[in-house]
Amino acid sequence: MKMKMKTIALVPAVLAAAILLIAAPASAAPGNIGFGFNATDISGFPSGAARLTGGGAHNPGTGFVKSAGGFRCTSDVGQGPLAGCLAGEGVRWDTVELLASTTFKCTGAATEPLKTAITDANTIVLLADFYRAGDGNDESFTAQMIVSADDIAPDITGIQNVWIQGVGCASAIANFSGKATSQE
């Protein structure tokens, strides 16, 4: 009976040790990059502005991404993939896929040079679905977006580290696994 009691008492310790041994190699492998951000005034194209917040994790090496957040059009968007999003509309966004890179403009002006953003440890380029409240679980819009800890448009005054296709760029508070920026 005493031997059975000692065996039962050892089971939790053995299980805990096994978990630690299994977890150790996993933690040694390159991990996912966590990110979070808050952009309050994304604009620059002829009409429209939006607010965007959210976060998640991605891994540029494997293509893994899991991210989502909130969004709202703060003035009517008249062009691009979010055309028809009216001021006050918008609830949330979620990820369709991680993109390796994209080209973009913050203003859409013909004279603005085309820029490139590349997904890495400090920048994420996504194809995302955007939802209005009345559309339920059916996406209202699909557009590309960029979030970065760094300035993605050094040719434009100020720091621009968030972009929505067809809406524009903005300065945002953005954090990437320990690298933080705070621009407002």
Side-chain angles (χ1 to χ4, degrees), residues 48-147:
R51 183 172 61 219
L52 194 64
T53 125
H58 74 289
N59 188 319
T62 65
F64 167 81
V65 64
K66 184 75 171 178
S67 59
F71 109 95
R72 181 159 314 266
C73 289
T74 55
S75 67
D76 298 357
V77 179
Q79 68 286 311
L82 268 65
C85 186
L86 304 177
E89 291 184 334
V91 175
R92 66 184 179 91
W93 66 271
D94 61 28
T95 301
V96 175
E97 71 178 298
L98 180 67
L99 302 174
S101 65
T102 193
T103 57
F104 69 99
K105 291 185 175 190
C106 287
T107 66
T111 57
E112 180 187 356
L114 194 60
K115 295 168 258 312
T116 301
I118 299 169
T119 295
D120 60 21
N122 298 318
T123 301
I124 185 166
V125 181
L126 299 171
L127 182 62
D129 285 333
F130 296 82
Y131 299 83
R132 292 185 285 202
D135 295 335
N137 285 332
D138 297 323
E139 64 275 0
S140 311
F141 313 98
T142 300
Q144 293 181 18
M145 60 184 270
I146 302 166
V147 178

